[in-house]
Amino acid sequence: MGVTDPTIDLVINHIDVILIPETNADGFGSLRTINHGAIACAGDEIVMIGTHDDVMAHVPECKVISAAGKLVAPGFVDAHTHPVFFGTREQEFKMRALGKSYQDIALAGGGIRSSVRKLRSASETELIDHTIPHLKNFLRHGTTTIEAKSGYGLSVADEIKILRVIKKLDSMQPLDLVPTFLGAHEIPDEYRNDRQKYIDLIINEMIPLVVDEKLAEFCDIFCEEHVFTIEETIKILGAAKDAGLQLKIHSEQLASSAATKIAAELGVISADHLDYASDDSLQQMKLRGVTPVLLPGAVFFLGLKTYANARKMIDLGLPVALATDFNPGSCMTESLPIIMTIACTQMKMTPEESWVAATLNGARAIDRDHRIGTLKEHYVADLVVWDIKNQDYLPYHFGINHVVMTIKKGQIVFQNKA
Ligand code: NIG
Ligand code: FE
């Protein structure tokens, strides 16, 4: 019997397999495993992780959860979501099944702008009530932190309303929300004939307010044909950077462009989508330490064919992250396991790579890899008990929820009754 640590108040023991994502020299990261392990927590932190016998030698009388026959992994970190919207867009989903494209629908006034019209009619309370069930779905499917973007308001008042809702939601329920300002998601209806005016509004009014009220950590932009141009991106991200926000970009989702390269030069922490990213874009990301956030769920959901070249990115040593892109238009799912399946089948990522991408590399994309995304001492006790025998099984048996229990900051926040 070793010396017990009296601060330990929760232990998960008899764990068949523990998955531990780690950074390594190749840049992408890897997965270490411990068989027959245990994890001890004190408050919201992990204090000990190792083999069952080693850990149990230090555990005082406390709450014990047996995970015999189960796998334990860090909670997923979903680094790209648009969770605050009002009303859904299944009609557009049907229109695509009947042959319309995402761009056709957007240009006809649907798409992001239809979500904007709906969101503007909602109060903060209505938005909170609308979003909470979705946040529960994240927890039920093993996600313990999400990055959450604004972007369906597109007016000063409505963008601020969304960011305030994100802040309130973060404090009133267990899932962590990391806020991103995405006023540059689309040009709203009332500025279609004077886009410059809307860009001025973002730069002169929205960004200063967001920063003054500490409502976001990141500023993002949708840089694509028919949305924001590269010149506009340089102006908006430049202003956000000067105001003290970290930067992100939606780039090369629908066509190849210089957007990723320019964004890398501006110092973005992540470039997201990248389905058409050129070799030059990948080299620039490598050079500048940009994390690629891949969203294959959006390609799948929109019925498109071109997925990001994850293999090339991994071979280059880029720390590829996988995220859902959860939103009512281009990817209506909170489930990262489904995204891992799509990543393995369509982008030829291995199951092991998909785990690293949905945990540690996701944390890196939101500047949290020093606290979450893996299991180690002094990291946050965000962990998930899975009813699977090995890491490969999760993306393999898809469309089924294998979560037994989700633990957030050392507390059980979801338990599957099945
Ligand atoms: O990330 N690409 C831009 N924005 C979202 C789509 C939002 C919508 O259609 O409502 C995305 O895919
Ligand atoms: Fe997005």
Side-chain angles (χ1 to χ4, degrees), residues 80 82 89 92 96 102 111-113 115 149 152 182 185 222 224 227 250 253-254 273 295 298 302 325-331:
H80 184 135
H82 308 248
R89 300 197 343 234
E92 293 180 9
R96 282 196 299 278
Y102 183 67
I112 294 169
R113 286 188 287 148
S115 283
K149 301 177 196 294
Y152 292 121
L182 179 58
H185 198 190
F222 188 11
E224 199 79 40
V227 200
H250 284 65
Q253 177 184 5
L254 303 167
H273 284 285
L295 310 166
L302 293 176
D325 194 15
F326 172 61
N327 76 77
S330 67
C331 197

Tab-separated table of all heavy atoms in Angstrom, residues 80 82 89 92 96 102 111-113 115 149 152 182 185 222 224 227 250 253-254 273 295 298 302 325-331, ligand 1:
chain	number	residue	atom	x	y	z
A	80	HIS	N	-15.085	23.346	-34.122
A	80	HIS	CA	-15.774	24.172	-35.127
A	80	HIS	C	-17.266	23.844	-35.101
A	80	HIS	O	-17.703	22.822	-35.634
A	80	HIS	CB	-15.184	23.879	-36.519
A	80	HIS	CG	-15.729	24.714	-37.631
A	80	HIS	ND1	-14.917	25.302	-38.582
A	80	HIS	CD2	-16.994	25.051	-37.977
A	80	HIS	CE1	-15.663	25.971	-39.454
A	80	HIS	NE2	-16.934	25.817	-39.106
A	82	HIS	N	-21.435	25.820	-35.090
A	82	HIS	CA	-22.322	26.992	-35.181
A	82	HIS	C	-23.613	26.619	-34.437
A	82	HIS	O	-24.643	26.364	-35.074
A	82	HIS	CB	-22.678	27.297	-36.639
A	82	HIS	CG	-21.525	27.427	-37.603
A	82	HIS	ND1	-21.182	28.614	-38.204
A	82	HIS	CD2	-20.640	26.519	-38.111
A	82	HIS	CE1	-20.155	28.439	-39.032
A	82	HIS	NE2	-19.813	27.168	-38.999
A	89	ARG	N	-33.484	23.714	-41.147
A	89	ARG	CA	-33.530	23.910	-42.617
A	89	ARG	C	-33.664	22.592	-43.374
A	89	ARG	O	-33.001	22.379	-44.386
A	89	ARG	CB	-32.279	24.692	-43.046
A	89	ARG	CG	-32.218	26.043	-42.379
A	89	ARG	CD	-31.297	27.107	-42.934
A	89	ARG	NE	-30.245	26.785	-43.816
A	89	ARG	CZ	-28.956	27.132	-43.607
A	89	ARG	NH1	-28.581	27.777	-42.514
A	89	ARG	NH2	-28.051	26.834	-44.503
A	92	GLU	N	-34.275	22.721	-47.148
A	92	GLU	CA	-33.111	22.834	-48.050
A	92	GLU	C	-32.466	21.471	-48.270
A	92	GLU	O	-31.969	21.159	-49.357
A	92	GLU	CB	-32.071	23.786	-47.459
A	92	GLU	CG	-32.559	25.216	-47.410
A	92	GLU	CD	-31.518	26.150	-46.819
A	92	GLU	OE1	-30.357	25.749	-46.605
A	92	GLU	OE2	-31.887	27.306	-46.559
A	96	ARG	N	-31.879	19.792	-51.899
A	96	ARG	CA	-30.622	19.221	-52.414
A	96	ARG	C	-30.857	17.800	-52.914
A	96	ARG	O	-30.306	17.400	-53.931
A	96	ARG	CB	-29.517	19.270	-51.353
A	96	ARG	CG	-28.898	20.651	-51.197
A	96	ARG	CD	-27.576	20.610	-50.445
A	96	ARG	NE	-27.712	20.086	-49.101
A	96	ARG	CZ	-28.116	20.809	-48.050
A	96	ARG	NH1	-28.384	22.086	-48.175
A	96	ARG	NH2	-28.205	20.249	-46.858
A	102	TYR	N	-25.942	23.677	-52.813
A	102	TYR	CA	-25.835	24.568	-51.644
A	102	TYR	C	-25.756	26.024	-52.102
A	102	TYR	O	-26.447	26.899	-51.563
A	102	TYR	CB	-24.595	24.163	-50.841
A	102	TYR	CG	-24.366	24.919	-49.556
A	102	TYR	CD1	-25.239	24.789	-48.477
A	102	TYR	CD2	-23.262	25.760	-49.403
A	102	TYR	CE1	-25.022	25.473	-47.293
A	102	TYR	CE2	-23.036	26.442	-48.230
A	102	TYR	CZ	-23.913	26.300	-47.169
A	102	TYR	OH	-23.685	26.976	-45.990
A	111	GLY	N	-30.131	29.319	-47.332
A	111	GLY	CA	-28.823	29.165	-46.706
A	111	GLY	C	-28.672	30.002	-45.460
A	111	GLY	O	-29.625	30.199	-44.698
A	112	ILE	N	-27.478	30.527	-45.255
A	112	ILE	CA	-27.151	31.271	-44.043
A	112	ILE	C	-28.154	32.408	-43.820
A	112	ILE	O	-28.638	32.634	-42.715
A	112	ILE	CB	-25.702	31.821	-44.134
A	112	ILE	CG1	-24.702	30.649	-44.146
A	112	ILE	CG2	-25.409	32.780	-42.984
A	112	ILE	CD1	-23.273	31.037	-44.485
A	113	ARG	N	-28.521	33.120	-44.926
A	113	ARG	CA	-29.415	34.276	-44.757
A	113	ARG	C	-30.797	33.880	-44.252
A	113	ARG	O	-31.453	34.645	-43.560
A	113	ARG	CB	-29.493	35.069	-46.061
A	113	ARG	CG	-28.203	35.877	-46.291
A	113	ARG	CD	-28.350	36.792	-47.469
A	113	ARG	NE	-28.322	36.049	-48.717
A	113	ARG	CZ	-29.001	36.407	-49.816
A	113	ARG	NH1	-29.767	37.468	-49.805
A	113	ARG	NH2	-28.902	35.691	-50.913
A	115	SER	N	-31.303	31.468	-42.103
A	115	SER	CA	-31.104	31.293	-40.655
A	115	SER	C	-31.011	32.647	-39.956
A	115	SER	O	-31.441	32.806	-38.816
A	115	SER	CB	-29.827	30.485	-40.374
A	115	SER	OG	-30.058	29.113	-40.620
A	149	LYS	N	-19.504	29.432	-32.615
A	149	LYS	CA	-19.430	30.658	-33.404
A	149	LYS	C	-20.754	31.413	-33.394
A	149	LYS	O	-21.819	30.790	-33.378
A	149	LYS	CB	-19.119	30.317	-34.866
A	149	LYS	CG	-17.819	29.556	-35.055
A	149	LYS	CD	-17.619	29.186	-36.520
A	149	LYS	CE	-16.561	28.100	-36.698
A	149	LYS	NZ	-15.211	28.513	-36.336
A	152	TYR	N	-25.164	34.021	-37.228
A	152	TYR	CA	-26.515	34.031	-37.784
A	152	TYR	C	-27.279	35.287	-37.346
A	152	TYR	O	-28.503	35.333	-37.398
A	152	TYR	CB	-27.288	32.772	-37.362
A	152	TYR	CG	-26.758	31.490	-37.979
A	152	TYR	CD1	-26.317	30.448	-37.181
A	152	TYR	CD2	-26.702	31.336	-39.363
A	152	TYR	CE1	-25.834	29.268	-37.746
A	152	TYR	CE2	-26.218	30.167	-39.935
A	152	TYR	CZ	-25.790	29.140	-39.118
A	152	TYR	OH	-25.313	27.982	-39.681
A	182	LEU	N	-18.201	35.515	-35.552
A	182	LEU	CA	-18.244	35.261	-36.995
A	182	LEU	C	-19.250	36.206	-37.664
A	182	LEU	O	-20.134	35.795	-38.395
A	182	LEU	CB	-18.570	33.769	-37.245
A	182	LEU	CG	-18.696	33.268	-38.690
A	182	LEU	CD1	-17.428	33.502	-39.501
A	182	LEU	CD2	-19.064	31.788	-38.738
A	185	HIS	N	-19.852	36.059	-41.714
A	185	HIS	CA	-20.319	34.740	-42.157
A	185	HIS	C	-20.995	34.865	-43.522
A	185	HIS	O	-20.991	33.937	-44.317
A	185	HIS	CB	-21.322	34.195	-41.115
A	185	HIS	CG	-21.578	32.730	-41.187
A	185	HIS	ND1	-22.579	32.116	-40.490
A	185	HIS	CD2	-20.947	31.744	-41.857
A	185	HIS	CE1	-22.571	30.818	-40.747
A	185	HIS	NE2	-21.591	30.565	-41.575
A	222	PHE	N	-15.833	33.681	-43.351
A	222	PHE	CA	-16.118	32.724	-44.424
A	222	PHE	C	-15.579	33.341	-45.714
A	222	PHE	O	-16.208	34.203	-46.307
A	222	PHE	CB	-17.629	32.490	-44.489
A	222	PHE	CG	-18.099	31.392	-45.417
A	222	PHE	CD1	-17.211	30.485	-46.001
A	222	PHE	CD2	-19.456	31.237	-45.693
A	222	PHE	CE1	-17.663	29.462	-46.838
A	222	PHE	CE2	-19.924	30.229	-46.531
A	222	PHE	CZ	-19.023	29.344	-47.105
A	224	GLU	N	-14.830	32.890	-49.362
A	224	GLU	CA	-15.176	31.980	-50.478
A	224	GLU	C	-15.857	32.833	-51.542
A	224	GLU	O	-16.404	33.907	-51.233
A	224	GLU	CB	-16.121	30.906	-49.953
A	224	GLU	CG	-16.248	29.646	-50.781
A	224	GLU	CD	-15.085	28.663	-50.604
A	224	GLU	OE1	-14.586	28.471	-49.479
A	224	GLU	OE2	-14.688	28.065	-51.626
A	227	VAL	N	-19.046	35.021	-51.090
A	227	VAL	CA	-19.169	35.403	-49.679
A	227	VAL	C	-18.165	36.544	-49.434
A	227	VAL	O	-18.368	37.636	-49.963
A	227	VAL	CB	-18.988	34.203	-48.726
A	227	VAL	CG1	-19.586	34.521	-47.357
A	227	VAL	CG2	-19.655	32.941	-49.265
A	250	HIS	N	-12.625	30.168	-42.466
A	250	HIS	CA	-13.239	29.113	-43.281
A	250	HIS	C	-12.621	29.316	-44.667
A	250	HIS	O	-12.927	30.325	-45.320
A	250	HIS	CB	-14.737	29.347	-43.451
A	250	HIS	CG	-15.615	29.024	-42.287
A	250	HIS	ND1	-15.577	29.680	-41.087
A	250	HIS	CD2	-16.607	28.090	-42.169
A	250	HIS	CE1	-16.511	29.179	-40.283
A	250	HIS	NE2	-17.148	28.223	-40.911
A	253	GLN	N	-13.223	25.812	-48.993
A	253	GLN	CA	-14.278	24.794	-48.807
A	253	GLN	C	-14.856	24.359	-50.162
A	253	GLN	O	-15.135	23.176	-50.364
A	253	GLN	CB	-15.423	25.345	-47.933
A	253	GLN	CG	-16.580	24.350	-47.774
A	253	GLN	CD	-17.774	24.895	-46.987
A	253	GLN	OE1	-17.799	26.066	-46.617
A	253	GLN	NE2	-18.740	24.045	-46.727
A	254	LEU	N	-15.050	25.339	-51.046
A	254	LEU	CA	-15.743	25.021	-52.296
A	254	LEU	C	-14.858	25.182	-53.524
A	254	LEU	O	-15.165	24.671	-54.593
A	254	LEU	CB	-17.004	25.889	-52.414
A	254	LEU	CG	-17.990	25.732	-51.228
A	254	LEU	CD1	-19.050	26.821	-51.231
A	254	LEU	CD2	-18.646	24.350	-51.231
A	273	HIS	N	-12.107	23.656	-43.011
A	273	HIS	CA	-12.692	23.072	-44.242
A	273	HIS	C	-11.572	22.536	-45.127
A	273	HIS	O	-11.322	21.350	-45.133
A	273	HIS	CB	-13.573	24.060	-45.029
A	273	HIS	CG	-14.910	24.288	-44.409
A	273	HIS	ND1	-15.921	23.377	-44.459
A	273	HIS	CD2	-15.404	25.352	-43.727
A	273	HIS	CE1	-16.989	23.858	-43.832
A	273	HIS	NE2	-16.690	25.048	-43.372
A	295	LEU	N	-13.647	19.167	-41.850
A	295	LEU	CA	-15.073	19.041	-41.563
A	295	LEU	C	-15.737	18.144	-42.610
A	295	LEU	O	-16.584	18.592	-43.387
A	295	LEU	CB	-15.703	20.454	-41.568
A	295	LEU	CG	-14.949	21.489	-40.713
A	295	LEU	CD1	-15.401	22.911	-41.029
A	295	LEU	CD2	-15.129	21.211	-39.229
A	298	ALA	N	-19.562	18.040	-43.431
A	298	ALA	CA	-20.218	19.017	-44.310
A	298	ALA	C	-20.181	18.528	-45.757
A	298	ALA	O	-21.157	18.681	-46.495
A	298	ALA	CB	-19.559	20.385	-44.173
A	302	LEU	N	-23.697	17.678	-47.580
A	302	LEU	CA	-24.086	18.451	-48.772
A	302	LEU	C	-24.074	17.569	-50.020
A	302	LEU	O	-24.393	18.027	-51.120
A	302	LEU	CB	-23.149	19.652	-48.961
A	302	LEU	CG	-23.246	20.738	-47.875
A	302	LEU	CD1	-22.204	21.836	-48.108
A	302	LEU	CD2	-24.645	21.343	-47.822
A	325	ASP	N	-18.607	20.841	-37.430
A	325	ASP	CA	-19.196	21.968	-38.172
A	325	ASP	C	-20.693	22.057	-37.860
A	325	ASP	O	-21.454	22.628	-38.643
A	325	ASP	CB	-18.972	21.825	-39.679
A	325	ASP	CG	-19.254	23.121	-40.452
A	325	ASP	OD1	-19.338	24.178	-39.808
A	325	ASP	OD2	-19.383	23.066	-41.685
A	326	PHE	N	-21.133	21.497	-36.736
A	326	PHE	CA	-22.566	21.450	-36.415
A	326	PHE	C	-23.256	22.774	-36.752
A	326	PHE	O	-22.906	23.822	-36.218
A	326	PHE	CB	-22.751	21.117	-34.932
A	326	PHE	CG	-24.173	21.237	-34.472
A	326	PHE	CD1	-25.161	20.459	-35.033
A	326	PHE	CD2	-24.531	22.151	-33.489
A	326	PHE	CE1	-26.486	20.572	-34.634
A	326	PHE	CE2	-25.854	22.279	-33.079
A	326	PHE	CZ	-26.828	21.483	-33.661
A	327	ASN	N	-24.220	22.734	-37.660
A	327	ASN	CA	-25.005	23.906	-38.049
A	327	ASN	C	-26.242	23.414	-38.803
A	327	ASN	O	-26.259	22.282	-39.295
A	327	ASN	CB	-24.152	24.870	-38.894
A	327	ASN	CG	-23.947	24.393	-40.311
A	327	ASN	OD1	-24.832	24.491	-41.149
A	327	ASN	ND2	-22.767	23.832	-40.604
A	328	PRO	N	-27.294	24.261	-38.915
A	328	PRO	CA	-28.542	23.756	-39.496
A	328	PRO	C	-28.511	23.619	-41.019
A	328	PRO	O	-29.423	23.033	-41.605
A	328	PRO	CB	-29.560	24.833	-39.094
A	328	PRO	CG	-28.745	26.082	-38.975
A	328	PRO	CD	-27.416	25.647	-38.440
A	329	GLY	N	-27.461	24.162	-41.664
A	329	GLY	CA	-27.447	24.155	-43.125
A	329	GLY	C	-26.588	23.069	-43.729
A	329	GLY	O	-27.039	22.268	-44.541
A	330	SER	N	-25.305	23.020	-43.302
A	330	SER	CA	-24.389	22.133	-44.020
A	330	SER	C	-23.915	20.928	-43.223
A	330	SER	O	-23.209	20.077	-43.771
A	330	SER	CB	-23.180	22.929	-44.523
A	330	SER	OG	-22.412	23.379	-43.441
A	331	CYS	N	-24.306	20.818	-41.943
A	331	CYS	CA	-23.960	19.606	-41.202
A	331	CYS	C	-24.733	19.542	-39.886
A	331	CYS	O	-24.303	20.071	-38.875
A	331	CYS	CB	-22.456	19.508	-40.929
A	331	CYS	SG	-22.001	17.824	-40.470
B	1	NIG	O1	-19.198	26.038	-41.941
B	1	NIG	N1	-19.195	27.473	-44.441
B	1	NIG	C1	-19.841	28.354	-43.860
B	1	NIG	N2	-20.678	28.220	-42.865
B	1	NIG	C2	-21.230	27.014	-42.440
B	1	NIG	C3	-22.527	26.766	-43.112
B	1	NIG	C4	-23.593	27.519	-42.445
B	1	NIG	C5	-24.973	27.355	-42.987
B	1	NIG	O2	-25.223	26.862	-44.116
B	1	NIG	O3	-25.866	27.769	-42.247
B	1	NIG	C6	-20.200	25.933	-42.619
B	1	NIG	O4	-20.374	24.974	-43.380
